[in-house]
Amino acid sequence: MEYTLYYRNYLRYCNYNCSYCPFAKGRVNDVLIQKEKKYLDKFVNYIKHSKNKFRLFFAPRGELLIHEIYRQKFIELSHMDNVIEIVIQTNLSSSLNWLELVNKEKIILWTTYHPNQVELDKFFSQILNLVEYNIKFTIGIVGVKDNFENIKRMSRMLNTLKLKKPYFWINAYKDEKNYYSKDEIEFLTLNDPLFYINLENHISKNLYCKTGNTVFFVEFNGNIHRCWKDKVKRGNLYKSELKDISKEEKCIKEQCTCFIGYSNLESLKLDGKYKTSVLGRMI
């Protein structure tokens, strides 16, 4: 059987200090790193010995690739026969030389550009490194108005690459009602042709979703939830068989607002939009 697992790690720490992010206020030390390693080792060992096939998405509490333990485990996972795809969200702030050792057919980096944390030229130099390593990747940015000029600059720079332009996605800012004018929506859609999908808060109540059936959200301790918004414990990865807790069911939430959630709504049929990888957000 094939399953998609979203893994949420133990450590709460990021090397960036974005004001809106709770993980920017986290801390790190050797004790916490060892706890993180213990949980990660157990998860990777489970994947290694499972008879199921997996697509894996690492949804970090901060930035993970600054830690050697994660870089080494991604190398290991990428060479497992039962792992189809591995996606990790990253700010690209760490060294990328470990990518020389991965199975490049399986790794996708969901990269995020934070203009208030890193200069565009420095971020783009890492993009050029990904191109050199022949790694699949997308680039994302939050669509707040302060970022519009950086969106223009990023699009221009991506057009200079001597390959198919990587997908540049823009996360719609939806905390403020009617935040965008019609012209601003047109501008953002020009840069991200699928912006209209993210701009909407998708009605999900009573609609079938892959979560809870073939897709699960797994905490660092193995506790399983249907999705990232569902707080009900469905079982534990190390004590339960996924086939025993898997069932097709309708969503009980009114709306789904985040890509890692609504991308699993069957009614949206996003595999027709993200043809290379829905999980990796690649068109």
Side-chain angles (χ1 to χ4, degrees), residues 74-132:
F74 288 152
I75 293 170
E76 184 179 343
L77 285 167
S78 76
H79 291 285
M80 293 182 186
D81 291 339
N82 65 331
V83 173
I84 302 168
E85 189 175 45
I86 309 163
V87 182
I88 171 68
Q89 185 171 2
T90 175
N91 60 27
L92 286 185
S93 60
S94 61
S95 170
L96 300 177
N97 56 12
W98 62 280
L99 292 169
E100 293 178 324
L101 303 176
V102 302
N103 181 336
K104 297 176 183 180
E105 294 299 314
K106 296 183 180 182
I107 290 279
I108 299 175
L109 297 188
W110 188 349
T111 77
T112 51
Y113 170 46
H114 299 75
N116 63 341
Q117 299 292 313
V118 62
E119 292 293 330
L120 178 55
D121 288 344
K122 183 176 181 179
F123 181 87
F124 197 75
S125 70
Q126 290 288 68
I127 294 297
L128 294 177
N129 287 331
L130 294 181
V131 173
E132 185 69 22

Short mmCIF file of all heavy atoms in Angstrom, two decimals, residues 74-132:
data_model
loop_
_atom_site.label_atom_id
_atom_site.label_comp_id
_atom_site.label_asym_id
_atom_site.label_seq_id
_atom_site.Cartn_x
_atom_site.Cartn_y
_atom_site.Cartn_z
N PHE A 74 18.04 12.38 5.29
CA PHE A 74 17.43 12.56 3.97
C PHE A 74 18.22 11.80 2.91
O PHE A 74 17.64 11.25 1.97
CB PHE A 74 17.34 14.04 3.61
CG PHE A 74 16.29 14.78 4.41
CD1 PHE A 74 16.42 16.12 4.67
CD2 PHE A 74 15.19 14.12 4.90
CE1 PHE A 74 15.47 16.80 5.41
CE2 PHE A 74 14.22 14.78 5.63
CZ PHE A 74 14.36 16.13 5.89
N ILE A 75 19.53 11.77 3.05
CA ILE A 75 20.35 10.97 2.14
C ILE A 75 19.93 9.50 2.25
O ILE A 75 19.71 8.82 1.24
CB ILE A 75 21.85 11.13 2.46
CG1 ILE A 75 22.31 12.55 2.16
CG2 ILE A 75 22.68 10.11 1.65
CD1 ILE A 75 23.72 12.86 2.67
N GLU A 76 19.82 9.03 3.47
CA GLU A 76 19.45 7.63 3.72
C GLU A 76 18.06 7.31 3.17
O GLU A 76 17.86 6.31 2.47
CB GLU A 76 19.51 7.35 5.23
CG GLU A 76 19.24 5.91 5.61
CD GLU A 76 19.33 5.67 7.11
OE1 GLU A 76 19.92 6.53 7.81
OE2 GLU A 76 18.82 4.64 7.57
N LEU A 77 17.09 8.15 3.47
CA LEU A 77 15.72 7.93 3.01
C LEU A 77 15.64 7.91 1.48
O LEU A 77 14.89 7.12 0.90
CB LEU A 77 14.80 9.01 3.56
CG LEU A 77 14.41 8.92 5.03
CD1 LEU A 77 13.78 10.22 5.50
CD2 LEU A 77 13.46 7.75 5.27
N SER A 78 16.40 8.78 0.85
CA SER A 78 16.32 8.90 -0.61
C SER A 78 16.78 7.63 -1.34
O SER A 78 16.45 7.44 -2.50
CB SER A 78 17.13 10.10 -1.10
OG SER A 78 18.53 9.84 -1.08
N HIS A 79 17.51 6.78 -0.64
CA HIS A 79 18.01 5.55 -1.25
C HIS A 79 17.22 4.31 -0.84
O HIS A 79 17.60 3.19 -1.20
CB HIS A 79 19.50 5.37 -0.93
CG HIS A 79 20.39 6.37 -1.60
ND1 HIS A 79 20.70 6.31 -2.95
CD2 HIS A 79 21.00 7.49 -1.12
CE1 HIS A 79 21.49 7.32 -3.26
NE2 HIS A 79 21.67 8.06 -2.18
N MET A 80 16.12 4.52 -0.11
CA MET A 80 15.27 3.39 0.26
C MET A 80 14.31 3.07 -0.88
O MET A 80 13.67 3.96 -1.44
CB MET A 80 14.48 3.72 1.54
CG MET A 80 15.34 3.84 2.77
SD MET A 80 14.35 4.19 4.25
CE MET A 80 15.64 4.47 5.47
N ASP A 81 14.17 1.81 -1.19
CA ASP A 81 13.34 1.39 -2.32
C ASP A 81 11.87 1.71 -2.11
O ASP A 81 11.12 1.91 -3.08
CB ASP A 81 13.51 -0.11 -2.57
CG ASP A 81 14.88 -0.47 -3.11
OD1 ASP A 81 15.55 0.43 -3.67
OD2 ASP A 81 15.29 -1.64 -2.97
N ASN A 82 11.42 1.73 -0.85
CA ASN A 82 10.00 1.95 -0.59
C ASN A 82 9.64 3.42 -0.39
O ASN A 82 8.50 3.75 -0.07
CB ASN A 82 9.53 1.13 0.61
CG ASN A 82 10.18 1.56 1.92
OD1 ASN A 82 11.31 2.05 1.93
ND2 ASN A 82 9.47 1.39 3.02
N VAL A 83 10.62 4.31 -0.57
CA VAL A 83 10.36 5.75 -0.51
C VAL A 83 10.28 6.29 -1.93
O VAL A 83 11.23 6.19 -2.70
CB VAL A 83 11.46 6.49 0.29
CG1 VAL A 83 11.27 7.99 0.20
CG2 VAL A 83 11.46 6.02 1.75
N ILE A 84 9.14 6.86 -2.27
CA ILE A 84 8.89 7.36 -3.63
C ILE A 84 9.34 8.80 -3.77
O ILE A 84 9.91 9.20 -4.79
CB ILE A 84 7.39 7.25 -3.96
CG1 ILE A 84 6.92 5.80 -3.82
CG2 ILE A 84 7.10 7.78 -5.36
CD1 ILE A 84 5.41 5.66 -3.86
N GLU A 85 9.10 9.57 -2.71
CA GLU A 85 9.29 11.03 -2.80
C GLU A 85 9.54 11.59 -1.41
O GLU A 85 8.93 11.15 -0.44
CB GLU A 85 8.02 11.64 -3.41
CG GLU A 85 8.08 13.08 -3.80
CD GLU A 85 6.79 13.51 -4.51
OE1 GLU A 85 5.69 13.16 -4.03
OE2 GLU A 85 6.91 14.19 -5.53
N ILE A 86 10.45 12.55 -1.32
CA ILE A 86 10.74 13.23 -0.05
C ILE A 86 10.72 14.74 -0.32
O ILE A 86 11.46 15.23 -1.17
CB ILE A 86 12.12 12.86 0.51
CG1 ILE A 86 12.30 11.35 0.54
CG2 ILE A 86 12.31 13.46 1.89
CD1 ILE A 86 13.75 10.94 0.68
N VAL A 87 9.89 15.45 0.43
CA VAL A 87 9.78 16.90 0.28
C VAL A 87 10.10 17.54 1.62
O VAL A 87 9.63 17.09 2.67
CB VAL A 87 8.37 17.32 -0.18
CG1 VAL A 87 8.31 18.84 -0.37
CG2 VAL A 87 7.97 16.59 -1.45
N ILE A 88 10.90 18.59 1.59
CA ILE A 88 11.24 19.31 2.81
C ILE A 88 11.15 20.81 2.55
O ILE A 88 11.63 21.30 1.53
CB ILE A 88 12.65 18.93 3.33
CG1 ILE A 88 13.10 19.83 4.49
CG2 ILE A 88 13.68 18.99 2.22
CD1 ILE A 88 12.32 19.64 5.74
N GLN A 89 10.52 21.53 3.45
CA GLN A 89 10.47 22.99 3.36
C GLN A 89 11.74 23.55 4.00
O GLN A 89 12.13 23.16 5.11
CB GLN A 89 9.24 23.54 4.06
CG GLN A 89 9.08 25.04 3.91
CD GLN A 89 7.74 25.54 4.43
OE1 GLN A 89 6.94 24.77 4.94
NE2 GLN A 89 7.51 26.82 4.29
N THR A 90 12.41 24.47 3.30
CA THR A 90 13.68 24.99 3.78
C THR A 90 13.89 26.43 3.33
O THR A 90 13.41 26.84 2.28
CB THR A 90 14.86 24.13 3.27
OG1 THR A 90 16.11 24.73 3.66
CG2 THR A 90 14.84 23.99 1.77
N ASN A 91 14.66 27.19 4.14
CA ASN A 91 14.99 28.56 3.75
C ASN A 91 16.33 28.65 3.00
O ASN A 91 16.79 29.75 2.69
CB ASN A 91 15.00 29.49 4.98
CG ASN A 91 16.00 29.08 6.05
OD1 ASN A 91 17.02 28.45 5.77
ND2 ASN A 91 15.71 29.44 7.29
N LEU A 92 16.95 27.49 2.75
CA LEU A 92 18.20 27.40 1.97
C LEU A 92 19.38 28.12 2.62
O LEU A 92 20.31 28.54 1.94
CB LEU A 92 18.01 27.96 0.55
CG LEU A 92 17.22 27.12 -0.44
CD1 LEU A 92 17.25 27.77 -1.82
CD2 LEU A 92 17.76 25.70 -0.53
N SER A 93 19.36 28.23 3.93
CA SER A 93 20.42 28.98 4.60
C SER A 93 21.65 28.14 4.91
O SER A 93 22.69 28.68 5.30
CB SER A 93 19.88 29.58 5.91
OG SER A 93 19.43 28.56 6.78
N SER A 94 21.55 26.81 4.75
CA SER A 94 22.66 25.94 5.10
C SER A 94 23.41 25.48 3.86
O SER A 94 22.99 25.70 2.72
CB SER A 94 22.15 24.72 5.87
OG SER A 94 21.25 23.97 5.07
N SER A 95 24.53 24.81 4.08
CA SER A 95 25.31 24.24 2.98
C SER A 95 24.48 23.21 2.22
O SER A 95 23.68 22.48 2.80
CB SER A 95 26.57 23.58 3.53
OG SER A 95 27.21 22.82 2.53
N LEU A 96 24.70 23.14 0.90
CA LEU A 96 23.93 22.22 0.06
C LEU A 96 24.79 21.09 -0.49
O LEU A 96 24.31 20.30 -1.31
CB LEU A 96 23.30 22.99 -1.10
CG LEU A 96 22.32 24.11 -0.73
CD1 LEU A 96 21.84 24.82 -1.98
CD2 LEU A 96 21.14 23.55 0.06
N ASN A 97 26.03 20.97 -0.03
CA ASN A 97 26.90 19.97 -0.63
C ASN A 97 26.46 18.53 -0.34
O ASN A 97 26.84 17.60 -1.06
CB ASN A 97 28.36 20.17 -0.20
CG ASN A 97 28.55 20.18 1.31
OD1 ASN A 97 27.64 19.83 2.06
ND2 ASN A 97 29.72 20.60 1.75
N TRP A 98 25.64 18.32 0.68
CA TRP A 98 25.11 16.99 0.98
C TRP A 98 24.22 16.46 -0.15
O TRP A 98 24.04 15.25 -0.29
CB TRP A 98 24.32 17.02 2.29
CG TRP A 98 23.11 17.92 2.25
CD1 TRP A 98 23.10 19.27 2.41
CD2 TRP A 98 21.75 17.53 2.04
NE1 TRP A 98 21.82 19.76 2.31
CE2 TRP A 98 20.98 18.72 2.09
CE3 TRP A 98 21.12 16.30 1.82
CZ2 TRP A 98 19.60 18.69 1.92
CZ3 TRP A 98 19.74 16.28 1.65
CH2 TRP A 98 18.99 17.47 1.71
N LEU A 99 23.72 17.36 -0.99
CA LEU A 99 22.84 16.95 -2.08
C LEU A 99 23.58 16.15 -3.15
O LEU A 99 22.95 15.50 -3.98
CB LEU A 99 22.17 18.18 -2.70
CG LEU A 99 21.16 18.89 -1.80
CD1 LEU A 99 20.76 20.23 -2.39
CD2 LEU A 99 19.93 18.02 -1.56
N GLU A 100 24.89 16.18 -3.11
CA GLU A 100 25.67 15.34 -4.03
C GLU A 100 25.43 13.86 -3.77
O GLU A 100 25.62 13.03 -4.67
CB GLU A 100 27.17 15.64 -3.88
CG GLU A 100 27.59 17.03 -4.32
CD GLU A 100 29.07 17.28 -4.11
OE1 GLU A 100 29.63 16.79 -3.10
OE2 GLU A 100 29.67 17.94 -4.97
N LEU A 101 24.97 13.52 -2.56
CA LEU A 101 24.87 12.12 -2.15
C LEU A 101 23.45 11.57 -2.20
O LEU A 101 23.24 10.38 -1.96
CB LEU A 101 25.42 11.96 -0.73
CG LEU A 101 26.87 12.41 -0.52
CD1 LEU A 101 27.25 12.29 0.95
CD2 LEU A 101 27.81 11.60 -1.40
N VAL A 102 22.45 12.40 -2.50
CA VAL A 102 21.07 11.93 -2.48
C VAL A 102 20.68 11.28 -3.80
O VAL A 102 21.34 11.48 -4.83
CB VAL A 102 20.08 13.08 -2.20
CG1 VAL A 102 20.38 13.75 -0.87
CG2 VAL A 102 20.07 14.10 -3.33
N ASN A 103 19.61 10.50 -3.75
CA ASN A 103 18.96 10.04 -4.98
C ASN A 103 18.14 11.22 -5.50
O ASN A 103 17.08 11.54 -4.96
CB ASN A 103 18.07 8.84 -4.69
CG ASN A 103 17.40 8.29 -5.93
OD1 ASN A 103 17.21 9.00 -6.92
ND2 ASN A 103 17.00 7.03 -5.89
N LYS A 104 18.61 11.84 -6.54
CA LYS A 104 18.03 13.10 -7.01
C LYS A 104 16.65 12.94 -7.64
O LYS A 104 15.94 13.92 -7.86
CB LYS A 104 19.00 13.78 -7.97
CG LYS A 104 20.31 14.14 -7.30
CD LYS A 104 21.33 14.72 -8.25
CE LYS A 104 22.64 15.00 -7.53
NZ LYS A 104 23.68 15.57 -8.41
N GLU A 105 16.28 11.70 -7.93
CA GLU A 105 14.95 11.46 -8.47
C GLU A 105 13.87 11.61 -7.41
O GLU A 105 12.70 11.78 -7.73
CB GLU A 105 14.89 10.05 -9.08
CG GLU A 105 15.77 9.86 -10.30
CD GLU A 105 15.39 10.80 -11.43
OE1 GLU A 105 14.19 10.92 -11.72
OE2 GLU A 105 16.30 11.42 -12.01
N LYS A 106 14.27 11.54 -6.14
CA LYS A 106 13.27 11.49 -5.07
C LYS A 106 13.17 12.76 -4.23
O LYS A 106 12.16 13.00 -3.58
CB LYS A 106 13.58 10.30 -4.15
CG LYS A 106 13.47 8.95 -4.84
CD LYS A 106 13.72 7.80 -3.88
CE LYS A 106 13.61 6.46 -4.59
NZ LYS A 106 13.82 5.33 -3.66
N ILE A 107 14.21 13.55 -4.20
CA ILE A 107 14.24 14.74 -3.34
C ILE A 107 13.63 15.94 -4.04
O ILE A 107 13.93 16.23 -5.20
CB ILE A 107 15.69 15.08 -2.95
CG1 ILE A 107 16.25 14.04 -1.98
CG2 ILE A 107 15.79 16.49 -2.36
CD1 ILE A 107 15.83 14.23 -0.54
N ILE A 108 12.74 16.65 -3.34
CA ILE A 108 12.21 17.93 -3.79
C ILE A 108 12.36 18.93 -2.65
O ILE A 108 11.92 18.67 -1.53
CB ILE A 108 10.73 17.85 -4.20
CG1 ILE A 108 10.54 16.86 -5.36
CG2 ILE A 108 10.21 19.23 -4.60
CD1 ILE A 108 9.08 16.65 -5.74
N LEU A 109 12.98 20.06 -2.92
CA LEU A 109 13.10 21.10 -1.91
C LEU A 109 12.04 22.17 -2.15
O LEU A 109 11.95 22.75 -3.23
CB LEU A 109 14.49 21.74 -1.96
CG LEU A 109 15.67 20.82 -1.62
CD1 LEU A 109 16.95 21.64 -1.52
CD2 LEU A 109 15.44 20.04 -0.34
N TRP A 110 11.24 22.39 -1.14
CA TRP A 110 10.19 23.42 -1.14
C TRP A 110 10.84 24.64 -0.49
O TRP A 110 10.77 24.83 0.71
CB TRP A 110 9.01 22.88 -0.34
CG TRP A 110 7.76 23.69 -0.38
CD1 TRP A 110 7.60 24.94 -0.86
CD2 TRP A 110 6.47 23.28 0.12
NE1 TRP A 110 6.30 25.35 -0.70
CE2 TRP A 110 5.59 24.35 -0.10
CE3 TRP A 110 5.99 22.13 0.73
CZ2 TRP A 110 4.25 24.29 0.28
CZ3 TRP A 110 4.66 22.08 1.09
CH2 TRP A 110 3.80 23.15 0.86
N THR A 111 11.52 25.46 -1.29
CA THR A 111 12.33 26.55 -0.75
C THR A 111 11.49 27.81 -0.52
O THR A 111 10.56 28.08 -1.29
CB THR A 111 13.52 26.89 -1.66
OG1 THR A 111 13.07 27.66 -2.79
CG2 THR A 111 14.20 25.62 -2.16
N THR A 112 11.83 28.55 0.52
CA THR A 112 11.07 29.76 0.84
C THR A 112 12.03 30.94 0.98
O THR A 112 13.03 30.86 1.69
CB THR A 112 10.27 29.59 2.14
OG1 THR A 112 11.12 29.10 3.17
CG2 THR A 112 9.13 28.60 1.93
N TYR A 113 11.69 32.01 0.30
CA TYR A 113 12.49 33.23 0.32
C TYR A 113 11.90 34.23 1.30
O TYR A 113 10.73 34.59 1.21
CB TYR A 113 12.54 33.81 -1.10
CG TYR A 113 13.14 35.20 -1.19
CD1 TYR A 113 14.32 35.52 -0.54
CD2 TYR A 113 12.50 36.18 -1.95
CE1 TYR A 113 14.85 36.79 -0.63
CE2 TYR A 113 13.04 37.46 -2.06
CZ TYR A 113 14.22 37.76 -1.38
OH TYR A 113 14.75 39.02 -1.47
N HIS A 114 12.71 34.66 2.26
CA HIS A 114 12.30 35.62 3.29
C HIS A 114 13.09 36.92 3.07
O HIS A 114 14.23 37.05 3.55
CB HIS A 114 12.59 35.08 4.68
CG HIS A 114 11.87 33.81 5.01
ND1 HIS A 114 12.23 32.58 4.49
CD2 HIS A 114 10.80 33.56 5.82
CE1 HIS A 114 11.43 31.65 4.96
NE2 HIS A 114 10.55 32.22 5.77
N PRO A 115 12.52 37.89 2.38
CA PRO A 115 13.26 39.11 2.04
C PRO A 115 13.80 39.88 3.23
O PRO A 115 14.82 40.57 3.11
CB PRO A 115 12.21 39.95 1.28
CG PRO A 115 11.26 38.95 0.74
CD PRO A 115 11.17 37.88 1.78
N ASN A 116 13.15 39.80 4.37
CA ASN A 116 13.63 40.54 5.54
C ASN A 116 14.71 39.79 6.32
O ASN A 116 15.19 40.27 7.35
CB ASN A 116 12.46 40.90 6.48
CG ASN A 116 11.78 39.67 7.05
OD1 ASN A 116 11.92 38.57 6.52
ND2 ASN A 116 11.03 39.86 8.12
N GLN A 117 15.10 38.61 5.81
CA GLN A 117 16.09 37.79 6.49
C GLN A 117 17.35 37.55 5.66
O GLN A 117 18.41 37.25 6.22
CB GLN A 117 15.48 36.43 6.88
CG GLN A 117 14.29 36.51 7.81
CD GLN A 117 14.67 37.00 9.19
OE1 GLN A 117 15.64 36.53 9.78
NE2 GLN A 117 13.92 37.95 9.71
N VAL A 118 17.23 37.64 4.35
CA VAL A 118 18.37 37.32 3.49
C VAL A 118 18.30 38.16 2.22
O VAL A 118 17.21 38.41 1.69
CB VAL A 118 18.38 35.81 3.14
CG1 VAL A 118 17.12 35.40 2.39
CG2 VAL A 118 19.62 35.43 2.36
N GLU A 119 19.45 38.60 1.75
CA GLU A 119 19.49 39.35 0.49
C GLU A 119 19.14 38.44 -0.67
O GLU A 119 19.50 37.26 -0.69
CB GLU A 119 20.89 39.93 0.28
CG GLU A 119 21.26 41.04 1.25
CD GLU A 119 20.41 42.28 1.05
OE1 GLU A 119 19.97 42.52 -0.10
OE2 GLU A 119 20.17 43.00 2.03
N LEU A 120 18.45 38.98 -1.65
CA LEU A 120 18.01 38.18 -2.79
C LEU A 120 19.19 37.56 -3.53
O LEU A 120 19.13 36.39 -3.93
CB LEU A 120 17.18 39.04 -3.75
CG LEU A 120 16.69 38.33 -5.02
CD1 LEU A 120 15.91 37.06 -4.68
CD2 LEU A 120 15.82 39.26 -5.86
N ASP A 121 20.26 38.30 -3.70
CA ASP A 121 21.42 37.75 -4.41
C ASP A 121 21.99 36.53 -3.70
O ASP A 121 22.39 35.56 -4.35
CB ASP A 121 22.51 38.82 -4.56
CG ASP A 121 22.15 39.89 -5.59
OD1 ASP A 121 21.21 39.64 -6.38
OD2 ASP A 121 22.77 40.95 -5.59
N LYS A 122 22.01 36.57 -2.39
CA LYS A 122 22.53 35.44 -1.62
C LYS A 122 21.59 34.25 -1.75
O LYS A 122 22.05 33.10 -1.93
CB LYS A 122 22.70 35.83 -0.15
CG LYS A 122 23.30 34.74 0.70
CD LYS A 122 23.54 35.21 2.12
CE LYS A 122 24.17 34.10 2.96
NZ LYS A 122 24.43 34.55 4.37
N PHE A 123 20.29 34.49 -1.64
CA PHE A 123 19.31 33.41 -1.80
C PHE A 123 19.41 32.82 -3.20
O PHE A 123 19.40 31.60 -3.38
CB PHE A 123 17.90 33.94 -1.53
CG PHE A 123 16.84 32.88 -1.64
CD1 PHE A 123 16.51 32.08 -0.56
CD2 PHE A 123 16.15 32.69 -2.84
CE1 PHE A 123 15.52 31.10 -0.66
CE2 PHE A 123 15.17 31.72 -2.96
CZ PHE A 123 14.85 30.92 -1.86
N PHE A 124 19.52 33.68 -4.19
CA PHE A 124 19.55 33.21 -5.57
C PHE A 124 20.82 32.41 -5.86
O PHE A 124 20.81 31.51 -6.71
CB PHE A 124 19.43 34.38 -6.55
CG PHE A 124 19.05 33.96 -7.93
CD1 PHE A 124 17.75 33.59 -8.22
CD2 PHE A 124 19.98 33.92 -8.95
CE1 PHE A 124 17.38 33.19 -9.50
CE2 PHE A 124 19.63 33.53 -10.23
CZ PHE A 124 18.33 33.16 -10.50
N SER A 125 21.90 32.71 -5.17
CA SER A 125 23.13 31.92 -5.35
C SER A 125 22.89 30.48 -4.92
O SER A 125 23.47 29.54 -5.50
CB SER A 125 24.28 32.54 -4.56
OG SER A 125 24.09 32.39 -3.16
N GLN A 126 22.04 30.29 -3.91
CA GLN A 126 21.68 28.93 -3.50
C GLN A 126 20.79 28.25 -4.54
O GLN A 126 20.88 27.04 -4.76
CB GLN A 126 20.98 28.95 -2.13
CG GLN A 126 21.88 29.31 -0.96
CD GLN A 126 22.85 28.19 -0.61
OE1 GLN A 126 23.76 27.88 -1.38
NE2 GLN A 126 22.64 27.58 0.55
N ILE A 127 19.91 29.03 -5.17
CA ILE A 127 19.10 28.49 -6.26
C ILE A 127 20.02 27.99 -7.38
O ILE A 127 19.81 26.91 -7.95
CB ILE A 127 18.14 29.57 -6.80
CG1 ILE A 127 17.10 29.94 -5.75
CG2 ILE A 127 17.47 29.10 -8.09
CD1 ILE A 127 16.19 28.81 -5.33
N LEU A 128 21.04 28.76 -7.69
CA LEU A 128 22.00 28.34 -8.72
C LEU A 128 22.72 27.06 -8.32
O LEU A 128 23.02 26.21 -9.17
CB LEU A 128 23.01 29.46 -8.98
CG LEU A 128 22.44 30.74 -9.60
CD1 LEU A 128 23.54 31.79 -9.74
CD2 LEU A 128 21.79 30.47 -10.94
N ASN A 129 22.98 26.90 -7.03
CA ASN A 129 23.59 25.66 -6.55
C ASN A 129 22.65 24.47 -6.74
O ASN A 129 23.09 23.38 -7.12
CB ASN A 129 23.96 25.78 -5.07
CG ASN A 129 25.17 26.66 -4.84
OD1 ASN A 129 26.04 26.76 -5.70
ND2 ASN A 129 25.23 27.32 -3.69
N LEU A 130 21.36 24.68 -6.51
CA LEU A 130 20.38 23.61 -6.72
C LEU A 130 20.35 23.20 -8.19
O LEU A 130 20.26 22.01 -8.52
CB LEU A 130 18.99 24.05 -6.27
CG LEU A 130 18.78 24.30 -4.78
CD1 LEU A 130 17.33 24.70 -4.51
CD2 LEU A 130 19.14 23.07 -3.96
N VAL A 131 20.43 24.18 -9.06
CA VAL A 131 20.47 23.90 -10.49
C VAL A 131 21.71 23.09 -10.83
O VAL A 131 21.67 22.11 -11.58
CB VAL A 131 20.45 25.22 -11.30
CG1 VAL A 131 20.65 24.93 -12.79
CG2 VAL A 131 19.12 25.95 -11.08
N GLU A 132 22.84 23.48 -10.25
CA GLU A 132 24.11 22.78 -10.50
C GLU A 132 24.05 21.33 -10.01
O GLU A 132 24.57 20.43 -10.67
CB GLU A 132 25.25 23.52 -9.78
CG GLU A 132 26.62 22.96 -10.05
CD GLU A 132 27.09 23.18 -11.48
OE1 GLU A 132 26.59 24.11 -12.14
OE2 GLU A 132 27.98 22.42 -11.91
#
